Amino acid sequence: MNDNRIARREALAVLACCVTASVVACAWSWQQDALLNYGDAEAHLHIARRVLDSHRPGLTQLGSVWLPLPHLLMIPFVACFDWWRNGLAGLIPSSLVWLASCWGIYKLARRWLRPAPAAIALAFFALNPNLLYLQTTAMTEPLFVCEMVWTVLLLVEWSAALDAADHRRSTRLLWPIALILAAAVFTRYDGWIMALLAWTAIGIVLLRRSKLRSGVFWIATVIVVAAPLVWFAYNQIVFGDWLDFARGPYSAKAIEMRTATPGDGPPHPGWHNMWVSLIFYVKAAEMVAFAEQWGNLLLVISILGTTWGWLIARRKAFAWALLLWLPFPFYAYSVAYGSVPIFLPVWWPHSFYNTRYGLEMIPAFALGAGFAANLLLTALGEFAPRSRRAVTAILFVLIGLNLGIMLRHRPLVYVEGTKNATARRPYEREIASALRAQLAKRPDAIVLTDTSVYPHIVALSGIPLRQTINESDKEFYQAALQAPAQHAALVLVLEGGQIEKAVHDHPAGLVVIGRFSAPYQPAVTLYASDTSRSIDARGAPEAVVASAKEKLP
């Protein structure tokens, strides 16, 4: 169809534009103090940090619900205390994978399109303000988007190598495909379905070409299949249940059951209704991709562009690009049956929740936009060739206008994070300030606390995690619950948590030194221990470990 080789100057121009966009977004997010707007971003950084900094450092600190790869990628950066506290430890890997996504989407478009429509696809992708904001945070969506794009790109290149009878290249490409699919499995649960579909399709293609006996394919199959099996085994070994991530106390299902009010009807829109769930997800994808007044029109244009791509490039492995549309059925099912609600401000209950899931459709929309531009420019080449450059410029202006309108009304994903932070952040800082005041008097004091609700309070207090006893310390935590005053100099109690019950049952030696409350947040009480045996951090965690072991039955 066209020469898809990318010249060095072209590649440098793409890289320069994308780096500029990323740097501007990072600088803006830093200036707005928005790196940690999402509570989940704080939690991801907390998980990565505790792998290095806890009484039980190691991979068992990765937890059971969220998949481990995003946290593993942050570990080199959370080792710096300041980067953990201010969020830079999440920004660095997220922005790097966003840049990789940009290069991947451009390379993918250039497999079929000339530079102008390919650049339009890239501009649509790279100038999405919601994704630009999220790549400055520790959230997992930018990494998964990158994995989706590169999975499709490598599958297209693999298919092209097969068609060209380049056995060596097609065999060699199976390795990075398998590794990226395994990485996707360890990033988000969407990746499990993508890996299943992609690898099964590879097997079918090889079977039809009588190449299924390939040793490389079967060895690579072990890598893909092993990824979910490793996660099952990890959950069984660490938490005693191979499905703890799906049915444990911190799973989405358990959270939904705890927060649902009996007799109030379905817990969220689309519950056990895949059609309504699909409508909510499509609307979320529209709202994070397009200016509100253009949403339906641009969605139709992206679909038409994808259809055009199928018509003109189906013999050039375009079918693999349909994997980019996988989030539609995946989230239709997840919202209906997977305890994954999506709330939108325009529909009941008129709130913000998980709107960022729509960002996974940006690559599909961008590629569809590129093919729609190709269709328009091809038609102009036939009937009005002199207008092609002017129309191309107008298309870039429209993408810029889409960006401007979304920025004017504030990007949906940023608004959700800001509302999250507005309710949570002042409260966290107030509690952390009180803790710092107490720690100034006793710098080595051990703090008993639950970090699952407000994980960033420890970082804001200026102490390492190993100076706390928290729920991730397991037996040490359970022992401390039996005698809080004897294990910690300070005890931070969240309303409704395990420590509240422990303090109620074992109040001896504890004195209230502060109470905190805020709208829509659990009340917090800070206790100090007046027991002489209270442990400080000098020489401990060893002291904490020994004390905890004494309390074990």
Side-chain angles (χ1 to χ4, degrees), residues 296-348:
N296 292 335
L297 174 62
L298 291 181
L299 175 63
V300 171
I301 290 174
S302 293
I303 294 173
L304 289 176
T306 302
T307 305
W308 174 246
W310 171 262
L311 292 174
I312 66 172
R314 64 184 182 276
R315 294 183 179 179
K316 294 181 178 290
F318 183 82
W320 296 106
L322 299 181
L323 274 175
L324 296 176
W325 292 83
L326 174 63
F328 271 172
F330 176 83
Y331 280 103
Y333 178 85
S334 296
V335 172
Y337 301 106
S339 303
V340 179
I342 293 176
F343 296 160
L344 302 172
V346 295
W347 291 343
W348 183 87

Short mmCIF file of all heavy atoms in Angstrom, two decimals, residues 296-348:
data_model
loop_
_atom_site.label_atom_id
_atom_site.label_comp_id
_atom_site.label_asym_id
_atom_site.label_seq_id
_atom_site.Cartn_x
_atom_site.Cartn_y
_atom_site.Cartn_z
N ASN A 296 -20.46 11.71 20.07
CA ASN A 296 -21.10 10.71 19.22
C ASN A 296 -20.57 10.75 17.79
O ASN A 296 -20.33 9.72 17.17
CB ASN A 296 -22.62 10.92 19.22
CG ASN A 296 -23.24 10.61 20.58
OD1 ASN A 296 -22.69 9.83 21.35
ND2 ASN A 296 -24.38 11.22 20.85
N LEU A 297 -20.37 11.97 17.28
CA LEU A 297 -19.89 12.11 15.90
C LEU A 297 -18.50 11.51 15.74
O LEU A 297 -18.25 10.75 14.80
CB LEU A 297 -19.87 13.59 15.52
CG LEU A 297 -19.25 13.91 14.15
CD1 LEU A 297 -20.05 13.25 13.03
CD2 LEU A 297 -19.16 15.43 13.94
N LEU A 298 -17.60 11.83 16.65
CA LEU A 298 -16.23 11.33 16.53
C LEU A 298 -16.15 9.82 16.78
O LEU A 298 -15.30 9.14 16.21
CB LEU A 298 -15.31 12.09 17.48
CG LEU A 298 -15.09 13.56 17.11
CD1 LEU A 298 -14.16 14.23 18.10
CD2 LEU A 298 -14.54 13.70 15.69
N LEU A 299 -17.03 9.30 17.65
CA LEU A 299 -17.09 7.85 17.83
C LEU A 299 -17.48 7.18 16.52
O LEU A 299 -16.86 6.17 16.11
CB LEU A 299 -18.08 7.50 18.93
CG LEU A 299 -18.34 6.01 19.15
CD1 LEU A 299 -17.06 5.30 19.59
CD2 LEU A 299 -19.45 5.79 20.17
N VAL A 300 -18.47 7.72 15.84
CA VAL A 300 -18.90 7.16 14.55
C VAL A 300 -17.77 7.26 13.52
O VAL A 300 -17.52 6.32 12.76
CB VAL A 300 -20.16 7.88 14.05
CG1 VAL A 300 -20.48 7.47 12.61
CG2 VAL A 300 -21.35 7.56 14.95
N ILE A 301 -17.07 8.40 13.51
CA ILE A 301 -15.95 8.57 12.58
C ILE A 301 -14.86 7.53 12.84
O ILE A 301 -14.29 6.96 11.91
CB ILE A 301 -15.40 10.00 12.66
CG1 ILE A 301 -16.40 10.99 12.07
CG2 ILE A 301 -14.05 10.11 11.95
CD1 ILE A 301 -16.01 12.44 12.22
N SER A 302 -14.55 7.28 14.11
CA SER A 302 -13.53 6.27 14.45
C SER A 302 -13.97 4.88 14.00
O SER A 302 -13.15 4.10 13.49
CB SER A 302 -13.29 6.27 15.96
OG SER A 302 -12.69 7.47 16.37
N ILE A 303 -15.25 4.58 14.17
CA ILE A 303 -15.75 3.27 13.72
C ILE A 303 -15.70 3.17 12.21
O ILE A 303 -15.29 2.13 11.65
CB ILE A 303 -17.18 3.05 14.25
CG1 ILE A 303 -17.17 2.93 15.78
CG2 ILE A 303 -17.79 1.79 13.64
CD1 ILE A 303 -18.55 2.88 16.41
N LEU A 304 -16.10 4.23 11.52
CA LEU A 304 -16.03 4.24 10.06
C LEU A 304 -14.58 4.12 9.58
O LEU A 304 -14.30 3.41 8.60
CB LEU A 304 -16.68 5.51 9.51
CG LEU A 304 -18.20 5.60 9.63
CD1 LEU A 304 -18.70 6.96 9.13
CD2 LEU A 304 -18.87 4.47 8.84
N GLY A 305 -13.67 4.82 10.27
CA GLY A 305 -12.26 4.72 9.91
C GLY A 305 -11.74 3.31 10.09
O GLY A 305 -10.98 2.80 9.24
N THR A 306 -12.14 2.66 11.17
CA THR A 306 -11.72 1.27 11.39
C THR A 306 -12.29 0.36 10.31
O THR A 306 -11.60 -0.55 9.83
CB THR A 306 -12.19 0.80 12.78
OG1 THR A 306 -11.65 1.67 13.78
CG2 THR A 306 -11.74 -0.62 13.05
N THR A 307 -13.54 0.60 9.92
CA THR A 307 -14.14 -0.19 8.84
C THR A 307 -13.39 0.02 7.53
O THR A 307 -13.13 -0.94 6.78
CB THR A 307 -15.62 0.21 8.67
OG1 THR A 307 -16.30 0.06 9.91
CG2 THR A 307 -16.29 -0.65 7.61
N TRP A 308 -13.03 1.27 7.24
CA TRP A 308 -12.23 1.56 6.05
C TRP A 308 -10.88 0.86 6.12
O TRP A 308 -10.40 0.30 5.12
CB TRP A 308 -12.05 3.06 5.92
CG TRP A 308 -11.14 3.52 4.82
CD1 TRP A 308 -9.94 4.15 4.95
CD2 TRP A 308 -11.37 3.39 3.41
NE1 TRP A 308 -9.39 4.43 3.73
CE2 TRP A 308 -10.25 3.96 2.74
CE3 TRP A 308 -12.39 2.85 2.63
CZ2 TRP A 308 -10.15 4.01 1.37
CZ3 TRP A 308 -12.28 2.89 1.24
CH2 TRP A 308 -11.17 3.47 0.62
N GLY A 309 -10.28 0.85 7.30
CA GLY A 309 -9.01 0.15 7.47
C GLY A 309 -9.15 -1.33 7.17
O GLY A 309 -8.28 -1.93 6.52
N TRP A 310 -10.24 -1.91 7.62
CA TRP A 310 -10.47 -3.33 7.34
C TRP A 310 -10.62 -3.57 5.83
O TRP A 310 -10.07 -4.55 5.30
CB TRP A 310 -11.74 -3.78 8.08
CG TRP A 310 -12.21 -5.16 7.69
CD1 TRP A 310 -13.17 -5.48 6.79
CD2 TRP A 310 -11.69 -6.40 8.17
NE1 TRP A 310 -13.31 -6.84 6.67
CE2 TRP A 310 -12.41 -7.44 7.52
CE3 TRP A 310 -10.71 -6.76 9.08
CZ2 TRP A 310 -12.16 -8.78 7.76
CZ3 TRP A 310 -10.46 -8.10 9.33
CH2 TRP A 310 -11.18 -9.09 8.68
N LEU A 311 -11.30 -2.68 5.16
CA LEU A 311 -11.54 -2.87 3.73
C LEU A 311 -10.25 -2.77 2.92
O LEU A 311 -10.07 -3.51 1.94
CB LEU A 311 -12.56 -1.85 3.23
CG LEU A 311 -14.00 -2.02 3.75
CD1 LEU A 311 -14.87 -0.86 3.31
CD2 LEU A 311 -14.58 -3.36 3.30
N ILE A 312 -9.38 -1.85 3.28
CA ILE A 312 -8.19 -1.62 2.44
C ILE A 312 -6.94 -2.33 2.94
O ILE A 312 -5.97 -2.45 2.20
CB ILE A 312 -7.90 -0.11 2.31
CG1 ILE A 312 -7.48 0.49 3.65
CG2 ILE A 312 -9.08 0.63 1.72
CD1 ILE A 312 -7.00 1.93 3.57
N ALA A 313 -6.97 -2.80 4.19
CA ALA A 313 -5.73 -3.37 4.74
C ALA A 313 -5.93 -4.74 5.38
O ALA A 313 -5.06 -5.22 6.09
CB ALA A 313 -5.13 -2.40 5.77
N ARG A 314 -7.08 -5.36 5.14
CA ARG A 314 -7.32 -6.65 5.80
C ARG A 314 -6.32 -7.71 5.36
O ARG A 314 -6.07 -8.67 6.09
CB ARG A 314 -8.75 -7.11 5.57
CG ARG A 314 -9.12 -7.42 4.13
CD ARG A 314 -10.61 -7.78 4.03
NE ARG A 314 -11.01 -8.14 2.68
CZ ARG A 314 -11.36 -7.27 1.76
NH1 ARG A 314 -11.33 -5.98 2.04
NH2 ARG A 314 -11.73 -7.67 0.57
N ARG A 315 -5.79 -7.56 4.16
CA ARG A 315 -4.78 -8.52 3.70
C ARG A 315 -3.39 -8.15 4.19
O ARG A 315 -2.44 -8.86 3.88
CB ARG A 315 -4.79 -8.59 2.16
CG ARG A 315 -6.09 -9.16 1.61
CD ARG A 315 -6.04 -9.30 0.10
NE ARG A 315 -7.28 -9.86 -0.43
CZ ARG A 315 -7.51 -10.07 -1.72
NH1 ARG A 315 -6.57 -9.76 -2.61
NH2 ARG A 315 -8.65 -10.59 -2.12
N LYS A 316 -3.30 -7.06 4.88
CA LYS A 316 -2.03 -6.64 5.47
C LYS A 316 -2.10 -6.70 6.99
O LYS A 316 -1.61 -5.83 7.70
CB LYS A 316 -1.67 -5.23 5.01
CG LYS A 316 -1.38 -5.13 3.52
CD LYS A 316 -1.00 -3.72 3.13
CE LYS A 316 -0.66 -3.63 1.65
NZ LYS A 316 0.61 -4.32 1.34
N ALA A 317 -2.77 -7.74 7.48
CA ALA A 317 -2.81 -8.06 8.91
C ALA A 317 -3.58 -7.04 9.74
O ALA A 317 -3.37 -6.94 10.95
CB ALA A 317 -1.39 -8.22 9.46
N PHE A 318 -4.49 -6.28 9.13
CA PHE A 318 -5.25 -5.30 9.89
C PHE A 318 -6.14 -5.95 10.95
O PHE A 318 -6.48 -5.32 11.96
CB PHE A 318 -6.11 -4.44 8.96
CG PHE A 318 -6.86 -3.35 9.67
CD1 PHE A 318 -6.24 -2.16 10.00
CD2 PHE A 318 -8.19 -3.53 10.06
CE1 PHE A 318 -6.92 -1.16 10.68
CE2 PHE A 318 -8.89 -2.54 10.73
CZ PHE A 318 -8.25 -1.35 11.05
N ALA A 319 -6.52 -7.20 10.76
CA ALA A 319 -7.41 -7.87 11.71
C ALA A 319 -6.85 -7.84 13.12
O ALA A 319 -7.61 -7.79 14.10
CB ALA A 319 -7.66 -9.31 11.27
N TRP A 320 -5.52 -7.87 13.26
CA TRP A 320 -4.93 -7.83 14.60
C TRP A 320 -5.25 -6.53 15.31
O TRP A 320 -5.33 -6.48 16.55
CB TRP A 320 -3.42 -8.02 14.52
CG TRP A 320 -3.01 -9.35 14.01
CD1 TRP A 320 -2.49 -9.63 12.78
CD2 TRP A 320 -3.10 -10.61 14.70
NE1 TRP A 320 -2.24 -10.98 12.65
CE2 TRP A 320 -2.59 -11.60 13.82
CE3 TRP A 320 -3.54 -10.99 15.96
CZ2 TRP A 320 -2.54 -12.95 14.17
CZ3 TRP A 320 -3.47 -12.34 16.32
CH2 TRP A 320 -2.98 -13.30 15.44
N ALA A 321 -5.46 -5.45 14.56
CA ALA A 321 -5.77 -4.16 15.17
C ALA A 321 -7.12 -4.17 15.87
O ALA A 321 -7.39 -3.31 16.71
CB ALA A 321 -5.73 -3.06 14.12
N LEU A 322 -7.97 -5.13 15.53
CA LEU A 322 -9.28 -5.21 16.19
C LEU A 322 -9.15 -5.55 17.67
O LEU A 322 -10.09 -5.35 18.44
CB LEU A 322 -10.17 -6.23 15.47
CG LEU A 322 -10.49 -5.91 14.00
CD1 LEU A 322 -11.38 -6.98 13.42
CD2 LEU A 322 -11.13 -4.54 13.87
N LEU A 323 -7.99 -6.07 18.07
CA LEU A 323 -7.75 -6.32 19.50
C LEU A 323 -7.83 -5.03 20.31
O LEU A 323 -8.11 -5.06 21.51
CB LEU A 323 -6.37 -6.96 19.71
CG LEU A 323 -6.27 -8.49 19.60
CD1 LEU A 323 -4.81 -8.91 19.72
CD2 LEU A 323 -7.11 -9.17 20.66
N LEU A 324 -7.58 -3.89 19.66
CA LEU A 324 -7.65 -2.61 20.36
C LEU A 324 -9.07 -2.28 20.81
O LEU A 324 -9.27 -1.40 21.66
CB LEU A 324 -7.11 -1.49 19.47
CG LEU A 324 -5.62 -1.59 19.09
CD1 LEU A 324 -5.25 -0.47 18.13
CD2 LEU A 324 -4.73 -1.55 20.33
N TRP A 325 -10.06 -2.97 20.24
CA TRP A 325 -11.45 -2.75 20.62
C TRP A 325 -11.89 -3.69 21.73
O TRP A 325 -13.06 -3.68 22.14
CB TRP A 325 -12.36 -2.91 19.40
CG TRP A 325 -12.16 -1.82 18.39
CD1 TRP A 325 -11.19 -1.76 17.42
CD2 TRP A 325 -12.92 -0.61 18.25
NE1 TRP A 325 -11.29 -0.60 16.70
CE2 TRP A 325 -12.35 0.13 17.18
CE3 TRP A 325 -14.01 -0.08 18.92
CZ2 TRP A 325 -12.85 1.37 16.77
CZ3 TRP A 325 -14.52 1.16 18.51
CH2 TRP A 325 -13.95 1.86 17.45
N LEU A 326 -10.98 -4.50 22.23
CA LEU A 326 -11.31 -5.47 23.29
C LEU A 326 -11.91 -4.84 24.54
O LEU A 326 -12.77 -5.45 25.18
CB LEU A 326 -10.05 -6.27 23.65
CG LEU A 326 -10.17 -7.24 24.83
CD1 LEU A 326 -11.19 -8.33 24.51
CD2 LEU A 326 -8.81 -7.87 25.15
N PRO A 327 -11.48 -3.64 24.97
CA PRO A 327 -12.08 -3.09 26.21
C PRO A 327 -13.59 -2.96 26.18
O PRO A 327 -14.23 -3.03 27.24
CB PRO A 327 -11.40 -1.71 26.31
CG PRO A 327 -10.07 -1.90 25.65
CD PRO A 327 -10.35 -2.82 24.51
N PHE A 328 -14.20 -2.79 25.02
CA PHE A 328 -15.66 -2.68 24.98
C PHE A 328 -16.33 -3.91 25.59
O PHE A 328 -17.09 -3.80 26.56
CB PHE A 328 -16.14 -2.45 23.54
CG PHE A 328 -16.21 -1.00 23.14
CD1 PHE A 328 -16.46 -0.64 21.83
CD2 PHE A 328 -16.05 0.02 24.07
CE1 PHE A 328 -16.54 0.69 21.45
CE2 PHE A 328 -16.12 1.36 23.70
CZ PHE A 328 -16.37 1.69 22.39
N PRO A 329 -16.11 -5.12 25.05
CA PRO A 329 -16.77 -6.28 25.66
C PRO A 329 -16.22 -6.61 27.05
O PRO A 329 -16.99 -7.08 27.90
CB PRO A 329 -16.48 -7.42 24.66
CG PRO A 329 -15.27 -6.97 23.90
CD PRO A 329 -15.38 -5.49 23.82
N PHE A 330 -14.94 -6.36 27.27
CA PHE A 330 -14.38 -6.70 28.58
C PHE A 330 -15.06 -5.90 29.69
O PHE A 330 -15.46 -6.47 30.72
CB PHE A 330 -12.86 -6.44 28.60
CG PHE A 330 -12.26 -6.68 29.96
CD1 PHE A 330 -11.90 -7.95 30.36
CD2 PHE A 330 -12.06 -5.63 30.85
CE1 PHE A 330 -11.36 -8.19 31.62
CE2 PHE A 330 -11.53 -5.85 32.11
CZ PHE A 330 -11.17 -7.14 32.49
N TYR A 331 -15.19 -4.61 29.50
CA TYR A 331 -15.79 -3.79 30.56
C TYR A 331 -17.30 -3.93 30.60
O TYR A 331 -17.90 -3.72 31.66
CB TYR A 331 -15.35 -2.34 30.42
CG TYR A 331 -13.97 -2.12 30.99
CD1 TYR A 331 -12.87 -2.00 30.16
CD2 TYR A 331 -13.77 -2.11 32.36
CE1 TYR A 331 -11.60 -1.85 30.68
CE2 TYR A 331 -12.50 -1.95 32.90
CZ TYR A 331 -11.43 -1.82 32.05
OH TYR A 331 -10.17 -1.68 32.58
N ALA A 332 -17.92 -4.27 29.48
CA ALA A 332 -19.36 -4.56 29.53
C ALA A 332 -19.61 -5.72 30.49
O ALA A 332 -20.55 -5.69 31.31
CB ALA A 332 -19.89 -4.89 28.13
N TYR A 333 -18.75 -6.72 30.40
CA TYR A 333 -18.89 -7.86 31.32
C TYR A 333 -18.46 -7.50 32.74
O TYR A 333 -19.12 -7.86 33.72
CB TYR A 333 -18.06 -9.06 30.82
CG TYR A 333 -18.15 -10.25 31.75
CD1 TYR A 333 -19.20 -11.16 31.63
CD2 TYR A 333 -17.21 -10.46 32.76
CE1 TYR A 333 -19.30 -12.24 32.49
CE2 TYR A 333 -17.31 -11.52 33.63
CZ TYR A 333 -18.35 -12.42 33.49
OH TYR A 333 -18.46 -13.48 34.35
N SER A 334 -17.35 -6.78 32.87
CA SER A 334 -16.80 -6.48 34.20
C SER A 334 -17.74 -5.61 35.02
O SER A 334 -17.91 -5.81 36.22
CB SER A 334 -15.43 -5.79 34.06
OG SER A 334 -14.50 -6.65 33.45
N VAL A 335 -18.35 -4.61 34.37
CA VAL A 335 -19.29 -3.76 35.09
C VAL A 335 -20.52 -4.56 35.49
O VAL A 335 -21.06 -4.40 36.59
CB VAL A 335 -19.68 -2.54 34.24
CG1 VAL A 335 -20.81 -1.75 34.90
CG2 VAL A 335 -18.46 -1.64 34.03
N ALA A 336 -20.97 -5.45 34.62
CA ALA A 336 -22.18 -6.22 34.90
C ALA A 336 -21.95 -7.29 35.95
O ALA A 336 -22.78 -7.46 36.87
CB ALA A 336 -22.71 -6.86 33.61
N TYR A 337 -20.83 -7.99 35.87
CA TYR A 337 -20.65 -9.17 36.73
C TYR A 337 -19.34 -9.18 37.53
O TYR A 337 -19.12 -10.10 38.31
CB TYR A 337 -20.72 -10.45 35.88
CG TYR A 337 -22.03 -10.60 35.14
CD1 TYR A 337 -22.09 -10.39 33.76
CD2 TYR A 337 -23.20 -10.92 35.81
CE1 TYR A 337 -23.30 -10.52 33.07
CE2 TYR A 337 -24.41 -11.05 35.14
CZ TYR A 337 -24.45 -10.85 33.76
OH TYR A 337 -25.63 -10.97 33.09
N GLY A 338 -18.51 -8.19 37.33
CA GLY A 338 -17.20 -8.21 37.98
C GLY A 338 -17.03 -7.23 39.11
O GLY A 338 -15.91 -6.96 39.54
N SER A 339 -18.14 -6.65 39.61
CA SER A 339 -18.08 -5.70 40.73
C SER A 339 -17.19 -4.50 40.40
O SER A 339 -16.43 -4.04 41.25
CB SER A 339 -17.59 -6.40 42.00
OG SER A 339 -18.40 -7.50 42.33
N VAL A 340 -17.27 -4.02 39.15
CA VAL A 340 -16.47 -2.89 38.70
C VAL A 340 -17.40 -1.78 38.23
O VAL A 340 -17.76 -1.73 37.05
CB VAL A 340 -15.51 -3.30 37.57
CG1 VAL A 340 -14.69 -2.11 37.09
CG2 VAL A 340 -14.60 -4.43 38.01
N PRO A 341 -17.85 -0.91 39.12
CA PRO A 341 -18.79 0.14 38.70
C PRO A 341 -18.11 1.27 37.94
O PRO A 341 -16.92 1.53 38.12
CB PRO A 341 -19.35 0.65 40.04
CG PRO A 341 -18.25 0.39 41.03
CD PRO A 341 -17.57 -0.87 40.56
N ILE A 342 -18.86 1.92 37.10
CA ILE A 342 -18.44 3.16 36.44
C ILE A 342 -19.54 4.19 36.68
O ILE A 342 -20.71 3.94 36.35
CB ILE A 342 -18.21 2.96 34.93
CG1 ILE A 342 -17.00 2.05 34.68
CG2 ILE A 342 -18.00 4.30 34.23
CD1 ILE A 342 -16.76 1.73 33.21
N PHE A 343 -19.18 5.32 37.27
CA PHE A 343 -20.12 6.41 37.49
C PHE A 343 -19.73 7.59 36.60
O PHE A 343 -18.54 7.93 36.50
CB PHE A 343 -20.12 6.87 38.95
CG PHE A 343 -20.59 5.83 39.94
CD1 PHE A 343 -20.26 5.94 41.28
CD2 PHE A 343 -21.36 4.75 39.54
CE1 PHE A 343 -20.68 4.98 42.20
CE2 PHE A 343 -21.79 3.79 40.44
CZ PHE A 343 -21.44 3.90 41.78
N LEU A 344 -20.71 8.22 35.99
CA LEU A 344 -20.49 9.36 35.11
C LEU A 344 -21.32 10.54 35.59
O LEU A 344 -22.46 10.37 36.04
CB LEU A 344 -20.89 9.01 33.67
CG LEU A 344 -20.16 7.81 33.04
CD1 LEU A 344 -20.79 7.46 31.71
CD2 LEU A 344 -18.68 8.11 32.89
N PRO A 345 -20.78 11.75 35.48
CA PRO A 345 -21.51 12.91 35.99
C PRO A 345 -22.79 13.21 35.21
O PRO A 345 -23.70 13.85 35.73
CB PRO A 345 -20.50 14.05 35.85
CG PRO A 345 -19.55 13.60 34.79
CD PRO A 345 -19.45 12.12 34.95
N VAL A 346 -22.88 12.72 33.97
CA VAL A 346 -24.05 13.05 33.13
C VAL A 346 -25.20 12.09 33.35
O VAL A 346 -26.33 12.36 32.91
CB VAL A 346 -23.66 13.07 31.64
CG1 VAL A 346 -22.68 14.20 31.37
CG2 VAL A 346 -23.05 11.72 31.21
N TRP A 347 -24.96 10.95 33.98
CA TRP A 347 -26.00 9.95 34.21
C TRP A 347 -26.03 9.57 35.68
O TRP A 347 -25.02 9.68 36.38
CB TRP A 347 -25.74 8.70 33.36
CG TRP A 347 -25.93 8.90 31.89
CD1 TRP A 347 -26.60 9.92 31.27
CD2 TRP A 347 -25.45 8.04 30.84
NE1 TRP A 347 -26.57 9.76 29.91
CE2 TRP A 347 -25.87 8.61 29.61
CE3 TRP A 347 -24.72 6.86 30.81
CZ2 TRP A 347 -25.58 8.04 28.38
CZ3 TRP A 347 -24.43 6.28 29.59
CH2 TRP A 347 -24.85 6.87 28.38
N TRP A 348 -27.19 9.08 36.10
CA TRP A 348 -27.32 8.62 37.49
C TRP A 348 -26.24 7.59 37.81
O TRP A 348 -25.96 6.73 36.98
CB TRP A 348 -28.71 7.99 37.69
CG TRP A 348 -28.94 7.55 39.11
CD1 TRP A 348 -29.41 8.29 40.14
CD2 TRP A 348 -28.69 6.24 39.63
NE1 TRP A 348 -29.46 7.54 41.28
CE2 TRP A 348 -29.02 6.27 41.00
CE3 TRP A 348 -28.18 5.04 39.10
CZ2 TRP A 348 -28.89 5.17 41.84
CZ3 TRP A 348 -28.04 3.94 39.92
CH2 TRP A 348 -28.39 4.01 41.27
#
